[in-house]
Amino acid sequence: MEEIILCKLGEMVLKGLNRRNFEDRLVKTVKRRVKHYGQFKVYVRQSTIYVEPQAEDCDMDGAFDALKVVFGIVGLSRAKACPKDKDAFVDCAKSYLDAQLSAAKTFKVEAKRADKSFPLTSIELSQYVGGELDEAYPNLQVDVHNPELTVRLEVRDYAGYVHADPEPGAGGLPVGINGKAAALLSGGIDSPVACYMIAKRGINLELVHFFSYPYTSEEAKEKVIQLAQELTAYCGRMTIHIIPFTEIQEEIRRACPENLFTLVMRRFMMRLSQAVAEQTDCKALVTGECLGQVASQTLEAMQVTGAVASMPILRPVVGMDKEEIIRTARRIGTFDTSILPYEDCCTVFTPRHPKTHPTLAELEEAEQALDIQGLMERALAGIELVKVTVQDPD
């Protein structure tokens, strides 16, 4: 029997009558991710997704690596199938895990008997296979508490499976199972992390970026596209809605008090993002705001900037400190791109003394000098759409 990939499901196994919807969504995602690596059969049984190669030229390494970043998978293993017989389990473990068994000093065997017609209990099968391996490998000692190697046996409907410790998956929920949201993506560190974290909760994303040429360069726009491309490994394919923002910022600078500039700008961003969200059937906005990090991210500032939106505003990194956000950015691969020295529109016309404790009344009074509807219509008419998809393997 051939080697396969076993993907363990996470919190979705606790779902009730709608659990099938979660599993079906994840199976579709897994099929899309592995199709670049050959012909695979993908199906779900007993809280596990099976990924079986259907041809000898399937790239198992590539498929395994691709699945490690799929939300909804909590752990995954490369496993060897064998007949459901106690001695077949022993032989399979010796052949498939020989290098690991020869290198380890301590081990234990764990068995899971999903097929209750199998004549041995899980404990009996573990004891039998463990005893045989202990005799076959003099270097090994049994350690049931802190083993260097755990040999895992699974007795399932169609076959038995042997594998070692699973590698951690991305966890979370399948992207798209909880609907869509519009995420504000800048060129900084925080917003890509926010996109990653909200996608992990099963949200499909439309991305919104504000571009202020010539105050921000074409390289700055390419940087954001690169960030979005890097996020597709986790978030899947997305569309970036690049909104021209120069006229709006120039009008704010001309007509509004300097200390309110950033706040008025943020209110326009929320209005425009909601307009995109409504056009694309999104039910929420997502920002990378982190409480107290900058002047526009005080409680009062977030209250007045969010007041223009009628849909929920999700702030996944609001309670994280900067070091936590940076660690996450490094782990998901966006940090190096985020720190490239190309400024985004948030740094254009930055006030010398920004207001940190604004009131809604003073923001609304300042905006009376602006043609809000006209500025928004012209910005929305100039949107550039850029689609990013999960890249094929080289």
Side-chain angles (χ1 to χ4, degrees), residues 8-78:
K8 304 297 183 180
L9 308 188
E11 61 189 275
M12 71 179 71
V13 302
L14 304 176
K15 302 298 178 183
L17 297 177
N18 65 343
R19 173 175 164 178
R20 181 65 179 270
N21 294 332
F22 286 78
E23 293 177 343
D24 289 347
R25 173 77 66 164
L26 183 54
V27 166
K28 289 179 181 178
T29 301
V30 169
K31 286 180 177 178
R32 283 200 304 270
R33 293 299 178 90
V34 301
K35 70 179 182 180
H36 305 298
Y37 302 95
Q39 183 180 356
F40 291 87
K41 180 181 179 182
V42 180
Y43 57 96
V44 62
R45 296 288 187 277
Q46 299 169 318
S47 303
T48 300
I49 289 181
Y50 296 73
V51 183
E52 292 186 4
Q54 301 296 291
E56 292 184 0
D57 61 350
C58 289
D59 180 0
M60 293 291 286
D61 292 336
F64 189 81
D65 288 342
L67 294 177
K68 285 195 289 188
V69 295
V70 171
F71 288 135
I73 298 173
V74 71
L76 59 167
S77 304
R78 291 173 69 159

Side-chain angles (χ1 to χ4, degrees), residues 243-319:
I243 300 179
F245 207 53
T246 306
E247 182 188 6
I248 290 174
Q249 288 189 292
E250 289 179 339
E251 278 297 293
I252 295 172
R253 181 179 62 168
R254 180 191 63 79
C256 296
E258 182 189 1
N259 65 341
L260 298 180
F261 173 83
T262 301
L263 297 170
V264 176
M265 178 190 73
R266 292 288 298 174
R267 282 165 63 87
F268 267 96
M269 288 180 172
M270 293 297 185
R271 292 185 181 102
L272 291 165
S273 296
Q274 177 159 304
V276 171
E278 291 169 348
Q279 293 170 4
T280 54
D281 197 31
C282 294
K283 306 304 181 186
L285 304 179
V286 181
T287 77
E289 292 168 292
C290 179
L291 185 61
Q293 187 176 120
V294 295
S296 64
Q297 294 176 8
T298 63
L299 284 178
E300 294 91 340
M302 287 192 284
Q303 180 183 28
V304 298
T305 56
V308 297
S310 60
M311 59 177 55
I313 300 173
L314 308 179
R315 299 177 172 96
V317 302
V318 71

Side-chain angles (χ1 to χ4, degrees), residues 47-352:
S47 303
T48 300
I49 289 181
Y50 296 73
V51 183
E52 292 186 4
Q54 301 296 291
E56 292 184 0
D57 61 350
C58 289
D59 180 0
M60 293 291 286
D61 292 336
F64 189 81
D65 288 342
L67 294 177
K68 285 195 289 188
V69 295
V70 171
F71 288 135
I73 298 173
V74 71
L76 59 167
S77 304
R78 291 173 69 159
K80 190 76 170 180
C82 68
K84 292 187 288 185
D85 173 82
K86 64 179 183 179
D87 291 314
F89 276 110
V90 173
D91 292 340
C92 185
K94 287 179 180 179
S95 61
Y96 186 57
L97 301 177
D98 179 66
Q100 291 151 284
L101 289 165
S102 298
K105 293 186 172 78
T106 60
F107 85 115
K108 72 173 179 178
V109 177
E110 288 187 355
K112 180 178 181 180
R113 188 185 63 149
D115 178 3
K116 302 305 181 184
S117 67
F118 188 73
L120 299 181
T121 67
S122 297
I123 293 176
E124 289 170 341
L125 180 59
S126 297
Q127 290 174 337
Y128 179 78
V129 174
E132 294 295 310
L133 295 178
D134 189 42
E135 288 188 13
Y137 292 87
N139 56 294
L140 289 177
Q141 288 187 341
V142 175
D143 183 346
V144 297
H145 299 294
N146 296 294
E148 187 179 339
L149 174 68
T150 299
V151 175
R152 301 181 185 272
L153 316 175
E154 300 192 29
V155 187
R156 295 192 170 268
D157 288 347
Y158 301 120
Y161 299 95
V162 175
H163 58 97
D165 296 308
E167 292 194 28
L173 297 172
V175 170
I177 197 65
N178 281 328
K180 291 174 66 177
L184 285 70
L185 181 66
S186 71
I189 299 171
D190 300 349
S191 60
V193 171
C195 291
Y196 161 83
M197 292 180 67
I198 208 65
K200 189 174 183 177
R201 300 312 305 157
I203 296 292
N204 195 15
L205 295 176
E206 297 282 335
L207 303 178
V208 181
H209 177 67
F210 298 92
F211 185 53
S212 295
Y213 185 82
Y215 302 106
T216 54
S217 64
E218 286 292 332
E219 288 84 359
K221 181 167 70 172
E222 291 302 318
K223 170 184 172 180
V224 169
I225 295 172
Q226 178 62 31
L227 282 171
Q229 184 66 67
E230 291 164 354
L231 286 168
T232 59
Y234 296 95
C235 305
R237 56 194 174 191
M238 296 177 288
T239 299
I240 314 169
H241 302 254
I242 302 175
I243 300 179
F245 207 53
T246 306
E247 182 188 6
I248 290 174
Q249 288 189 292
E250 289 179 339
E251 278 297 293
I252 295 172
R253 181 179 62 168
R254 180 191 63 79
C256 296
E258 182 189 1
N259 65 341
L260 298 180
F261 173 83
T262 301
L263 297 170
V264 176
M265 178 190 73
R266 292 288 298 174
R267 282 165 63 87
F268 267 96
M269 288 180 172
M270 293 297 185
R271 292 185 181 102
L272 291 165
S273 296
Q274 177 159 304
V276 171
E278 291 169 348
Q279 293 170 4
T280 54
D281 197 31
C282 294
K283 306 304 181 186
L285 304 179
V286 181
T287 77
E289 292 168 292
C290 179
L291 185 61
Q293 187 176 120
V294 295
S296 64
Q297 294 176 8
T298 63
L299 284 178
E300 294 91 340
M302 287 192 284
Q303 180 183 28
V304 298
T305 56
V308 297
S310 60
M311 59 177 55
I313 300 173
L314 308 179
R315 299 177 172 96
V317 302
V318 71
M320 297 173 69
D321 63 37
K322 195 65 177 183
E323 288 304 314
E324 290 176 298
I325 296 172
I326 288 173
R327 282 198 299 270
T328 304
R330 289 185 187 278
R331 178 167 55 82
I332 67 176
T334 58
F335 179 77
D336 289 342
T337 302
S338 290
I339 63 173
L340 291 174
Y342 305 119
E343 302 293 347
D344 60 39
C345 70
C346 295
T347 62
V348 176
F349 311 143
T350 303
R352 291 166 293 179

